[in-house]
Amino acid sequence: MLIRVVNPNTTASMTESIGRCAREVAGPSTLVEAVNPSMGPASIESHYEESLAVPGLLEQVREGEAGGVDAFVVACFGDPGLDAAREIASGPVLGIAEAAIHAAAMIGRTFGIVTTLGRTTGRAHELVQRYGFADVCVAVRACEIPVLELDDPASDAYGKVVAECREVLALGADAVVLGCAGMADLCHRLSDEIGAPVVDGVSAATVFAESLVRLRLATGKRGEYATPPLKPMAGLLAEFELGARV
Ligand code: 5HY
């Protein structure tokens, strides 16, 4: 089985780290390819960047679809372009926020989320609401570390994430959800440090995507997620006209 994990930002070092985490949990017969778009923001920390990351994400989904990919993972905690990707992919498409939130709800009564910048907490609340877990999400906290500084030792990112994880537990959470794909490689160390389950969406989405393929389940195509109607696409986005060569 072939799973394509798409990091919707354009930072290759982050894509490599995401790929490593996904491969760690993928089954022996599963091939994981981690990719990022050729265009778009270096990191996604605002609505503007999230919107501008979507064409690149869809570029990678269309390319993967043409290359026989069985399932896709959208490796950004805002789950950007998830619905659009589901419309153009035949196999399952999972967002890391969606997967992490569902996993957390299966291992405790409550959970909390630790994300990067405070300005992204609104999106996290929205997704918790959308996925139906607003009642059991007791906190969304930000460590105020920019995405691209998460792997910079000088930023003390790890210490700040630990502190926010402890705050979330103090607010009554049974588990902590990591609110950024760039935190995926901190997951097990954090869990040992705080003595509670820590959920990383990259690995959760990879395993859930694998399971859906094994169950021979894919996105329903009779209604909302049917292939979009063909129509002309003008200007910069002309190559996104469905039916146009990938
Ligand atoms: C992410 N941004 O997972 C989100 C995290 C965030 O570039 N990859 C990004 O801060 O919303």
Side-chain angles (χ1 to χ4, degrees), residues 166-236:
R166 293 196 195 289
E167 288 293 328
V168 164
L169 295 180
L171 290 162
D174 294 321
V176 178
V177 166
L178 297 179
C180 181
M183 295 174 182
D185 56 354
L186 303 176
C187 185
H188 301 309
R189 187 178 163 205
L190 283 168
S191 183
D192 295 344
E193 180 105 31
I194 67 173
V198 174
V199 184
D200 153 49
V202 170
S203 36
T206 302
V207 172
F208 288 168
E210 233 182 357
S211 308
L212 289 174
V213 173
R214 210 170 290 131
L215 290 165
R216 300 196 197 158
L217 294 174
T219 307
K221 292 285 176 180
R222 298 169 54 82
E224 175 179 352
Y225 293 120
T227 306
L230 296 188
K231 62 188 67 174
M233 286 277 180
L236 268 181

Side-chain angles (χ1 to χ4, degrees), residues 57 61 70-74 81-83 85-95 98 209 212 218-219:
L57 164 76
V61 172
D70 298 295
F72 295 87
V73 169
V74 178
L82 182 60
D83 293 320
R86 282 185 173 148
E87 288 178 333
I88 61 169
S90 49
V93 184
L94 291 182
E98 175 188 37
L212 289 174
T219 307

Side-chain angles (χ1 to χ4, degrees), residues 7 9 14 42-45 75-78 96 115-117 120 147 179-182:
N7 168 21
N9 73 41
M14 204 170 153
S43 68
I44 301 164
E45 298 163 325
C76 172
F77 200 79
I96 64 169
T115 187
T116 55
L117 303 182
T120 68
V147 171
C180 181

Side-chain angles (χ1 to χ4, degrees), residues 42-66:
S43 68
I44 301 164
E45 298 163 325
S46 67
H47 299 298
Y48 181 77
E49 291 150 2
E50 192 174 277
S51 299
L52 289 175
V54 173
L57 164 76
L58 298 177
E59 163 205 83
Q60 291 301 314
V61 172
R62 288 184 73 203
E63 202 188 85
E65 189 64 17

